[in-house]
Amino acid sequence: MIDKISIIISKGSLDGVYPGLIMANGARAEGIDANLFFTFFGLDAIHRGRQQRIKLATVGNPGLHLPTLAGAVPGVSALMTRYLGRKMDTLDIPPVPEFVEMIADTGAGLYACKASVDLFGYGEDDFVEHVKGIITVGELYDLADGGQIVFT
Amino acid sequence: MPEKVYAGTAVTVNDEGFFTEPGQWREEMTSELAREYGIERLTEQHWQVVKHMRYQYEQNGTGPNVRALARSSGVTIKELYQLFPKGPAKLAARIAGIPKPRGCI
């Protein structure tokens, strides 16, 4: 089994965020060291004001088997997100804010990408307290040294 | 199936060290099991978690995952990872002599 994994989360949709969270948490449950690096819209998952409002992408998402235009109707994304949220609740999958906190509690490292933070004009205070730091790509590679990197 | 001896009694375990017959497990085996998995001394809190794991297995036929374990045992996720750094649910399941808990969360 591998010893360490670094997972890069780059999307700000529900379907973009959850796989990375589940893989990081699952790694820790197996005793594998884990880092999470949030970049570009993936930053929403650790942003204080935005992490509660992450929605399912209903446009340009063929996996939903919805006509593209139906996915663009106002409210559809919110509706599908609520529907999925209820299903997740029955399966005991926590909502994003609780999941992020839980992963930090397992000892995984949570980091924000400096280039993206600068791009969106964020500061340290914009992120939840569990974030260990705002780091450069070079620093990420340092942290990831000796392990595997997964881009989601 | 590999055979192991804990507290002077032979038991069968699978390749990952989980008991294949949980009925063979006895409390006296726990400190030897813990040492085998890198825990030198079982504290009272370790014990609480191991016993709880066993109890959940007896109630539900399966051990809980880490999140459910934290919720039902009253030991927080942070503490669980301090007690069992190499994966709390799986380590505690090995020490409690129950099968590997399965689940992605």
Side-chain angles (χ1 to χ4, degrees):
Chain A
M1 195 179 281
I2 60 172
D3 296 328
K4 179 159 70 170
I5 186 116
S6 297
I7 298 167
I8 300 164
I9 295 181
S10 63
K11 298 185 189 75
S13 59
L14 205 66
D15 39 325
V17 167
Y18 265 101
L21 297 182
I22 289 173
M23 286 177 64
N25 181 63
R28 293 297 303 127
E30 295 290 339
I32 300 168
D33 285 346
N35 294 307
L36 272 170
F37 185 68
F38 297 89
T39 185
F40 229 91
F41 296 122
L43 283 177
D44 280 4
I46 48 170
H47 188 284
R48 284 182 200 279
R50 295 177 184 268
Q51 69 168 176
Q52 302 85 353
R53 296 208 295 262
I54 289 175
K55 289 196 176 58
L56 185 71
T58 49
V59 175
N61 186 349
L64 283 180
H65 314 291
L66 264 187
T68 296
L69 283 175
V73 171
V76 167
S77 177
L79 188 76
M80 298 285 285
T81 302
R82 268 206 303 281
Y83 169 74
L84 210 64
R86 274 202 299 273
K87 284 210 79 163
M88 286 185 178
D89 199 41
T90 60
L91 288 172
D92 212 16
I93 302 173
V96 171
E98 193 191 330
F99 211 165
V100 166
E101 183 182 345
M102 175 174 133
I103 291 169
D105 282 348
T106 69
L110 270 52
Y111 301 93
C113 162
K114 182 167 188 320
S116 307
V117 169
D118 292 348
L119 178 66
F120 296 131
Y122 294 151
E124 248 170 60
D125 293 345
D126 288 311
F127 299 110
V128 293
E129 60 192 300
H130 317 293
V131 173
K132 279 192 180 165
I134 299 170
I135 64 170
T136 66
V137 170
E139 286 163 339
L140 166 74
Y141 284 127
D142 254 350
L143 282 170
D145 190 26
Q148 310 268 335
I149 298 178
V150 172
F151 189 93
T152 67
Chain B
M1 289 288 173
E3 200 163 86
K4 291 248 180 163
V5 177
Y6 297 113
T9 309
V11 302
T12 52
V13 296
N14 68 11
D15 294 338
E16 290 179 285
F18 293 93
F19 276 51
T20 53
E21 288 170 52
Q24 295 179 327
W25 179 87
R26 292 200 324 278
E27 281 194 15
E28 303 88 87
M29 299 175 176
T30 45
S31 50
E32 255 175 74
L33 278 159
R35 261 199 306 279
E36 185 175 340
Y37 295 109
I39 297 165
E40 271 315 306
R41 206 179 59 82
L42 281 175
T43 64
E44 207 164 301
Q45 215 176 14
H46 283 109
W47 249 115
Q48 185 189 337
V49 175
V50 169
K51 270 203 243 175
H52 187 77
M53 208 73 192
R54 186 82 195 175
Y55 172 77
Q56 288 284 317
Y57 170 75
E58 278 160 5
Q59 296 297 306
N60 308 317
T62 175
N65 61 27
V66 184
R67 183 166 182 245
L69 178 62
R71 199 171 34 208
S72 60
S73 70
V75 180
T76 66
I77 288 183
K78 225 181 217 171
E79 290 167 332
L80 283 171
Y81 274 92
Q82 282 156 5
L83 293 167
F84 304 95
K86 285 279 165 197
K90 275 152 201 171
L91 257 183
R94 282 193 185 95
I95 298 171
I98 65 169
K100 182 179 183 171
R102 294 190 76 239
C104 288
I105 306 297

